[in-house]
Amino acid sequence: MMKKVLIKTIILLLTLTAMLLMSCEEQQIAHQKEEVDSLMNAAYQSRNYELILSLADQHQQDGTISAMKACYWRGYAYSRQRKMRMAEIEWKNAVAQKVTSGEDMKFYGQSASHLAGLLYLKLDYGEAIRVALTAIDLMRENGYTMNNHFSNLLTFVGSCQLKLGHLQEAANNFARTWLHYQQVMEAYHDQESYTGSIVGLVTIVDAYIQTAHYQEASEWADRLESMLQLRSHYPDVKEDYIDKQWARLYLYRACALEGLGNKAEAEKAYKKALATQYVQTAEGKMEANNYLMTAHRWSEAADNFQVLEAQMVSYDVGMSIENIHAFLLPKFLANAEAHRTDTAIAMGIRLCHALDSAINRENRNEAAELATIFEIQQKEAELMEQRNRLSDQRLLMVCTTLSLIVLGLGLFIFFRHRAAVKLETAYYDLERANIRVEESSRMKSDFIQQISHEIRTPLNILSGFTQLLTMPGSTYDEATLQDINQKIVENTDRITSLVNKMLELSEAKNHNVIECSDNVAAVEVAAEAVNASGITEATHLTFDMVVSPEAEQAMLQTNRTAVIRALSLVLDNARKFTAPAEARQREKPTDHQQKVVLRMTVVSGRLFFSVEDTGIGIPHKEAERIFDEFVQLDEYYDGTGIGLTVARSLARRIGGDIMLDTAYIGGSRFVMTLPVCS
């Protein structure tokens, strides 16, 4: 009996000792967390982003802060350093973590909001919607909705829907967003709530302006004005911040009114914007150009663009293809339309160099990007290994303290086994990630080579004309100068078209269904696609369109823009590959006249657009591969290998398809099918 009491007493003492040790450890961890939060806040206030990265790595490693929190802070620091790829990786890691506490929920919301915004700016609308909707559902489940992060996610969903052409869905989502803004403001009545609401409304109005929905933009501008009026009377308001938002409101109003044809009222709104201090700044002048170029006030826009270079240096804007399209091309267009020949020529030269540098930089950065990704993966593996060691040490301490308890040994074995399974799973995931990185590297290299070939011709033409115009002592008559100017504009448009096609490539990866709400005649769609492709202006071929009686009466319920774009890309493909290739044209010129025929027929309730050409043809085994990204069977022909990819993606997303007819001989025949209205 005494032995049993003694054993129970020993077990009780050991248990109490273990509980005391664990309690002390928890208090120590809580104290360490307070110290880390204080250090992190100080680094945030002083904008010391390298210190933020160091603190996040160190204290995730020792377990003081969670992986969710560490990933958020690393993503924030990288974004402020303009390392957007790295920021995207960290925020994706953050939202992939499991939420285990209220603090995790907070940093999950912040990470998801920042990630959705970053994807929206990258034009990756489908992925942005997926991230935002997943986060919205999780935040609702955890009751974490009365905050600006939740509002931002709702705003980004609507903006992405609008950019993808889902106008009604975007309108419904924006209405829910507006209601949520009002609920947050009623709940808190603080500066942060009003500021977040204003930022969200600015995003909505800007999205409507960019997509040319001017009536909706005008209506949301009224809501923005009401919010600014409330915010202007709020205590401790920053005058420069309010001035900036009022300036934006007036500029948005001017753009919307100009788009609606009300030029007089647009001019009044623009004059109100000019009365603000913000529009006198370099940043304000750049925003004002959106209205000036919409109103075709080229000279004023060209004047404002004089601050572009200093502004790009101030914001450390690199010369990526997206930034060339966003900044340099509009500046060139404004000066060209304002007939400022010297400045336009200078911008043409700058544009050539910038594009060449961007392509070379993309080549160089590819290896560095892969090395960085590998380094991150290696760091994560080291963190996992260190966590396992720390876990083993703690378990060893507990098991040593409770060595007389058999259950402790069982738990130790269990956790060791689970750690081994996790390590094996992580190793498998790492192998899969490496395979995806290698494939991405190969495809990117092929694409860069295609882009280099496609851009070289217009760049050489622009360079040649620039040298002629700047040659000392050279004089040209008015007709020659007009011809040179026309050639410069044509080749710049060619580069612009290529850049737009590159941006359009992101749409090929989007599998979201496009809203089909347009009722349009099939022959009308065909005529617009023919005009858009420019095939009737090609001198090396004859073009004909054959329409059956059924097709002549056929109506489509579809998305007008998508079907015209898809068909025009197929016609453009026929135009390119019936022309002599660049190398073969030098070797063996020919006067043989090629032919392209567009046939329209209706069979079993479906409309068939058949584009037949007498070009180089496509082998049967390549019938599906030709629709893959960057695939081009003959490198001597112009093109980037993405036109057919985009065309098929658009056709499938509106309920149709595009395929190659392998039975056709004497060239190629692509067939696009769409359902007709019953």
Side-chain angles (χ1 to χ4, degrees):
M1 185 70 180
M2 290 294 295
K3 286 184 177 181
K4 291 183 178 180
V5 173
L6 180 60
I7 292 173
K8 289 182 179 180
T9 303
I10 292 173
I11 293 175
L12 179 60
L13 288 173
L14 289 172
T15 304
L16 291 173
T17 302
M19 293 176 63
L20 181 61
L21 289 172
M22 294 176 67
S23 176
C24 292
E25 184 179 1
E26 289 176 357
Q27 291 179 1
Q28 183 180 3
I29 292 174
H31 180 66
Q32 289 176 344
K33 285 184 177 180
E34 291 179 1
E35 290 182 348
V36 172
D37 287 341
S38 178
L39 291 171
M40 195 72 79
N41 186 60
Y44 166 79
Q45 295 294 339
S46 62
R47 301 180 181 179
N48 190 340
Y49 304 122
E50 289 297 332
L51 179 57
I52 290 177
L53 290 171
S54 176
L55 290 171
D57 288 343
Q58 175 186 346
H59 294 291
Q60 182 187 1
Q61 191 173 359
D62 63 23
T64 306
I65 63 176
S66 66
M68 178 83 72
K69 189 173 182 178
C71 289
Y72 166 76
W73 278 116
R74 281 195 293 267
Y76 174 82
Y78 283 135
S79 70
R80 290 300 178 178
Q81 293 175 334
R82 301 194 180 280
K83 298 178 181 178
M84 305 315 292
R85 288 190 182 94
M86 303 299 297
E88 181 179 349
I89 290 172
E90 291 297 337
W91 285 330
K92 282 184 176 178
N93 285 339
V95 299
Q97 302 293 324
K98 184 177 181 180
V99 176
T100 58
S101 65
E103 184 183 58
D104 274 356
M105 191 70 250
K106 171 187 173 183
F107 286 103
Y108 174 89
Q110 290 178 311
S111 299
S113 176
H114 285 302
L115 177 58
L118 179 59
L119 293 169
Y120 175 74
L121 293 177
K122 282 180 59 180
L123 312 182
D124 193 354
Y125 302 128
E127 181 64 9
I129 289 177
R130 188 194 66 78
V131 169
L133 290 179
T134 301
I136 287 170
D137 289 340
L138 184 60
M139 293 168 77
R140 279 178 174 155
E141 289 175 7
N142 287 271
Y144 187 71
T145 60
M146 298 302 289
N147 54 77
N148 284 333
H149 311 309
F150 189 86
S151 303
N152 291 340
L153 290 167
L154 291 173
T155 303
F156 287 130
V157 170
S159 299
C160 291
Q161 290 171 334
L162 186 60
K163 292 296 183 69
L164 293 172
H166 305 311
L167 183 59
Q168 188 57 52
E169 294 178 19
N172 294 339
N173 197 70
F174 285 150
R176 289 191 290 269
T177 304
W178 172 245
L179 179 61
H180 190 266
Y181 285 145
Q182 293 175 315
Q183 292 173 345
V184 172
M185 288 185 296
E186 289 176 1
Y188 297 106
H189 290 289
D190 59 359
Q191 183 174 344
E192 183 180 356
S193 300
Y194 281 96
T195 301
S197 301
I198 290 171
V199 171
L201 291 174
V202 166
T203 301
I204 293 172
V205 178
D206 186 66
Y208 274 124
I209 291 291
Q210 289 183 25
T211 54
H213 293 94
Y214 298 116
Q215 183 59 45
E216 292 84 351
S218 180
E219 294 169 2
W220 279 92
D222 291 339
R223 294 177 178 175
L224 175 58
E225 181 179 15
S226 66
M227 190 65 64
L228 286 173
Q229 288 173 344
L230 289 173
R231 186 69 181 86
S232 299
H233 300 296
Y234 198 82
D236 301 325
V237 65
K238 293 182 180 179
E239 294 297 333
D240 56 341
Y241 173 82
I242 288 298
D243 177 81
K244 178 178 181 178
Q245 304 312 321
W246 279 109
R248 283 179 164 173
L249 171 65
Y250 296 140
L251 291 174
Y252 288 145
R253 277 238 172 92
C255 285
L257 291 167
E258 182 71 24
L260 293 171
N262 195 340
K263 295 182 176 294
E265 292 299 320
E267 174 63 17
K268 290 180 182 179
Y270 181 61
K271 286 182 178 179
K272 288 183 179 180
L274 290 177
T276 64
Q277 296 179 3
Y278 176 70
V279 174
Q280 309 309 318
T281 65
E283 183 181 357
K285 289 180 179 180
M286 296 305 300
E287 288 202 33
N289 274 356
N290 293 330
Y291 162 72
L292 293 174
M293 295 185 73
T294 301
H296 294 176
R297 294 166 66 165
W298 307 113
S299 293
E300 294 174 67
D303 290 339
N304 281 358
F305 270 124
Q306 292 177 10
V307 302
L308 174 62
E309 303 298 331
Q311 191 73 357
M312 294 178 74
V313 171
S314 173
Y315 281 87
D316 192 25
V317 176
M319 280 296 96
S320 64
I321 291 176
E322 291 84 359
N323 288 334
I324 291 171
H325 179 262
F327 300 111
L328 295 190
L329 279 177
K331 181 175 180 178
F332 173 84
L333 177 62
N335 282 281
E337 294 290 349
H339 304 293
R340 299 184 181 181
T341 307
D342 292 341
T343 306
I345 291 173
M347 279 305 303
I349 296 172
R350 172 78 190 283
L351 189 63
C352 295
H353 292 318
L355 279 171
D356 186 57
S357 298
I359 293 170
N360 291 333
R361 189 182 304 109
E362 194 73 21
N363 245 339
R364 291 194 306 270
N365 288 346
E366 182 181 354
E369 182 181 351
L370 291 175
T372 302
I373 293 173
F374 178 77
E375 183 180 348
I376 291 174
Q377 292 171 342
Q378 194 173 32
K379 185 185 293 185
E380 289 177 349
E382 291 174 358
L383 284 173
M384 182 178 294
E385 183 180 353
Q386 291 171 358
R387 284 179 195 162
N388 288 337
R389 286 202 301 266
L390 184 61
S391 176
D392 291 345
Q393 291 171 1
R394 289 175 178 170
L395 283 174
L396 182 60
M397 180 186 67
V398 173
C399 290
T400 302
T401 306
L402 303 176
S403 57
L404 299 179
I405 303 177
V406 179
L407 181 60
L409 180 60
L411 290 174
F412 175 75
I413 295 172
F414 170 76
F415 284 117
R416 284 295 297 269
H417 174 71
R418 188 171 67 174
V421 171
K422 285 185 177 180
L423 186 60
E424 183 179 355
T425 302
Y427 178 76
Y428 175 71
D429 292 341
L430 183 60
E431 279 191 328
R432 292 177 59 192
N434 285 335
I435 292 173
R436 289 196 297 269
V437 168
E438 290 174 2
E439 179 65 15
S440 174
S441 174
R442 184 191 64 77
M443 294 180 66
K444 187 180 292 184
S445 296
D446 293 343
F447 181 60
I448 290 172
Q449 291 175 4
Q450 293 291 339
I451 292 302
S452 299
H453 174 76
E454 185 73 2
I455 289 181
R456 190 176 297 117
T457 299
L459 283 180
N460 289 338
I461 293 173
L462 290 174
S463 178
F465 280 125
T466 302
Q467 292 175 12
L468 288 175
L469 290 173
T470 57
M471 185 179 299
S474 59
T475 58
Y476 303 96
D477 57 34
E478 184 65 26
T480 302
L481 287 174
Q482 288 182 357
D483 184 63
I484 291 174
N485 182 67
Q486 182 181 356
K487 291 292 191 301
I488 291 175
V489 172
E490 287 175 356
N491 283 278
T492 304
D493 289 343
R494 184 176 176 184
I495 296 174
T496 303
S497 176
L498 178 61
V499 173
N500 287 334
K501 188 178 289 185
M502 292 163 61
L503 296 176
E504 191 176 35
L505 177 61
S506 63
E507 279 294 292
K509 301 177 182 179
N510 192 338
H511 301 292
N512 291 339
V513 175
I514 297 175
E515 182 179 4
C516 297
S517 58
D518 299 326
N519 288 310
V520 60
V523 291
E524 183 179 343
V525 166
E528 291 193 33
V530 169
N531 290 335
S533 69
I535 197 168
T536 57
E537 299 173 6
T539 58
H540 68 281
L541 58 81
T542 59
F543 174 76
D544 193 15
M545 186 165 69
V546 180
V547 184
S548 71
E550 296 85 356
E552 195 167 347
Q553 303 298 323
M555 296 294 294
L556 301 173
Q557 183 171 356
T558 184
N559 185 286
R560 183 191 190 100
T561 302
V563 69
I564 291 173
R565 181 58 178 159
L567 184 55
S568 69
L569 286 171
V570 177
L571 290 167
D572 184 61
N573 182 75
R575 178 186 61 79
K576 288 179 182 176
F577 291 94
T578 53
E582 181 180 354
R584 296 172 187 170
Q585 191 173 23
R586 291 197 298 265
E587 297 170 0
K588 186 179 178 182
T590 177
D591 295 327
H592 176 66
Q593 189 75 4
Q594 302 286 354
K595 185 177 181 181
V596 175
V597 179
L598 170 60
R599 301 184 187 276
M600 296 173 55
T601 57
V602 176
V603 179
S604 300
R606 295 188 72 82
L607 180 65
F608 287 71
F609 294 94
S610 300
V611 180
E612 304 170 0
D613 65 60
T614 57
I616 62 174
I618 299 171
H620 292 186
K621 64 181 181 179
E622 304 291 349
E624 281 302 310
R625 183 170 172 266
I626 195 67
F627 292 98
D628 291 342
E629 297 172 4
F630 316 132
V631 171
Q632 192 171 359
L633 301 183
D634 193 329
E635 64 181 1
Y636 291 111
Y637 280 81
D638 290 338
T640 58
I642 61 179
L644 291 177
T645 307
V646 174
R648 172 177 271 190
S649 173
L650 290 171
R652 287 181 171 179
R653 291 166 60 201
I654 57 175
D657 201 356
I658 296 178
M659 64 194 73
L660 175 69
D661 185 356
T662 56
Y664 184 78
I665 59 175
S668 301
R669 176 194 285 157
F670 286 89
V671 181
M672 183 171 81
T673 63
L674 289 172
V676 299
C677 296
S678 57

